[in-house]
Amino acid sequence: MSDTLFARACRREPVERTPVWIMRQAGRYLPEYRALRVNADFLTCCRTPELACEITLQPVRRLDVDAAILFSDILVPLPAMGVEVTFHPCPHLARPVRSAGDVDALRVPDAREATPFVFDAIRLLRRELSPTVPLIGFAGAPFTMATYLVEGGGSKHFEAIKGLLFSDPPTAHALLACCADTVASLLAEQVRAGAQAAMLFDTWAGLLGPADYRAFALPYVRRVFDRVADAAADLGVDVPRIYYAGNAAGWLPACRDTGATVIGLDWRMDLGPARAVLGPSLAVQGNLDPAVLLGPPDQIRQRARLVLEEAGPFGHVFNLGHGILPQTPPEHARVLVDAVREWSSRRAA
Ligand code: CP3
């Protein structure tokens, strides 16, 4: 794997073109996914290795992307922590975590016992995928996990999680440590099962100002990536560590200290200035606005080219800045992948 286009771009080595994959590339915008979901609910798909494997492969077949991402969800470890979650399709927790007592009652599960289906799906996928298409494993970053645990689902103003941070910091830190240890076990174990890159989604860290990011998010991300790096070192393999930093403008410099090797960014900032802040040792991933895929093909091609020009030829993995929207016409996703291939290989030639 160390020689795939994706791996070389993550290591900032020269590439003949820019690799591309799409966040949430398996999902509701694909008719083949919706067809499969008629007979199986979302969690059943996540918990059945054959189904998770098949859904992971759907966008690889249709779009010819340069990486696969395991079909799962960041909230899959919750039941083993002692928290029930349902999806309709948005996640909902019947009993959110609000007090010190609630945090005490959480378990830090051993991932091999809690979510064996994740590792079985990874082993299946490694047999099914072409060696040119690496498999990305993932988990939720500790702060984003804690946000769901405390809010109990989506939120408008996030007063429950932010209230906890400022009214009871020791309980907030205990919760974050619990999330970090759970996620570290889950992600390190995915690497041991054969995941060729490890990604943390910090969708909600943008709620924090710079000082609070350094206090409540950064140390826990670092803790997870240290465990992932140890797992990769034990195996003697190079495993890119990708950190999706949602709405990161305020604390972008802190991303240098996360232990990630690739920083995923959304469209709220341009990749050129972001790279100037991140420095020469980090690769970047992103960052086309997913809504661009709702527009016409010519616009998609033009916008893809602008992102490629901002990022420059090396150390860039093309992606959207957030998950693909369910309304996206699947042919538009293909237009994007083809456009990235064409422009970036023309530039390299
Ligand atoms: O293709 C892939 O990228 C792999 C699968 C994947 C899913 N969720 C499948 C899913 C990944 C990487 C995730 C990550 C995830 N899950 C994040 C981080 C990225 C982000 O979007 O910010 C978050 C915040 C979640 C939590 C979550 N799960 C939400 C907010 C939702 C609701 C609706 C939605 O799709 O945005 C889910 C459900 C979910 N996760 C679905 C899928 C395909 C839809 C469920 C269905 O099919 O009914």
Side-chain angles (χ1 to χ4, degrees):
M1 132 85 178
S2 62
D3 284 320
T4 62
L5 193 63
F6 170 86
R8 282 184 281 133
C10 290
R11 290 198 302 263
R12 302 182 46 109
E13 291 169 12
V15 283
E16 55 281 14
R17 61 179 176 81
T18 301
V20 50
W21 68 279
I22 294 178
M23 284 196 279
R24 297 286 187 100
Q25 62 191 12
R28 284 167 294 163
Y29 78 107
L30 287 180
E32 55 270 37
Y33 174 76
R34 294 195 300 270
L36 209 143
R37 283 274 283 95
V38 171
N39 296 313
D41 68 23
F42 174 64
L43 276 176
T44 301
C45 292
C46 294
R47 288 173 177 156
T48 311
E50 294 73 20
L51 289 177
C53 174
E54 169 57 23
I55 296 170
T56 302
L57 294 172
Q58 286 176 344
V60 177
R61 292 189 196 113
R62 184 191 270 263
L63 302 176
D64 195 22
V65 279
D66 296 306
I69 182 161
L70 175 69
F71 185 79
S72 185
D73 194 83
I74 63 167
L75 302 180
V76 155
L78 262 49
M81 296 173 79
V83 178
E84 285 314 315
V85 58
T86 51
F87 291 85
H88 312 282
C90 289
H92 176 77
L93 279 59
R95 292 192 23 186
V97 173
R98 294 283 162 90
S99 65
D102 294 341
V103 173
D104 277 345
L106 290 175
R107 290 190 294 271
V108 175
D110 176 324
R112 281 169 304 184
E113 283 159 32
T115 49
F117 47 85
V118 166
F119 315 113
D120 290 340
I122 289 174
R123 284 184 281 265
L124 268 180
L125 277 160
R126 283 299 305 275
R127 291 205 287 275
E128 295 289 324
L129 282 163
S130 143
T132 58
V133 180
L135 177 64
I136 302 169
F138 74 92
F143 181 75
T144 289
M145 296 289 284
T147 299
Y148 275 104
L149 284 168
V150 173
E151 294 291 340
S155 174
K156 218 168 179 179
H157 300 294
F158 297 91
E159 49 274 74
I161 179 72
K162 296 199 78 176
L164 180 69
L165 298 185
F166 300 115
S167 66
D168 187 356
T171 296
H173 281 292
L175 172 62
L176 287 158
C178 174
C179 291
D181 291 336
T182 300
V183 162
S185 163
L186 176 60
L187 203 53
E189 217 44 63
Q190 290 184 53
V191 168
R192 287 194 191 95
Q196 291 146 300
M199 179 157 174
L200 277 180
F201 284 93
D202 221 347
T203 306
W204 295 123
L207 293 168
L208 299 171
D212 295 315
Y213 177 84
R214 286 194 175 273
F216 293 111
L218 180 65
Y220 301 100
V221 173
R222 175 99 225 175
R223 196 193 286 197
V224 177
F225 278 143
D226 283 349
R227 289 266 298 271
V228 169
D230 288 346
D234 285 348
L235 297 168
V237 289
D238 169 58
V239 175
R241 299 183 293 276
I242 311 173
Y243 179 59
Y244 173 73
N247 218 338
W251 38 265
L252 191 62
C255 287
R256 290 192 299 246
D257 304 326
T258 53
T261 59
V262 183
I263 305 296
L265 295 166
D266 64 39
W267 61 94
R268 294 174 183 89
M269 72 186 106
D270 285 330
L271 292 182
R275 299 196 81 146
V277 172
L278 292 171
S281 60
L282 289 170
V284 292
Q285 177 175 278
N287 72 341
L288 187 72
D289 186 335
V292 168
L293 295 186
L294 304 179
D298 277 349
Q299 167 94 326
I300 295 169
R301 292 188 197 98
Q302 211 180 323
R303 294 292 198 120
R305 187 182 174 184
L306 287 175
V307 169
L308 288 167
E309 283 170 357
E310 269 292 328
F314 303 126
H316 177 218
V317 176
F318 195 103
N319 208 316
L320 301 179
H322 201 177
I324 190 167
L325 297 164
Q327 305 84 337
T328 307
E331 20 346 320
H332 285 192
R334 182 72 205 217
V335 167
L336 175 67
V337 170
D338 290 344
V340 172
R341 285 232 160 106
E342 199 185 310
W343 279 109
S344 63
S345 46
R346 203 182 293 177
R347 166 169 67 187

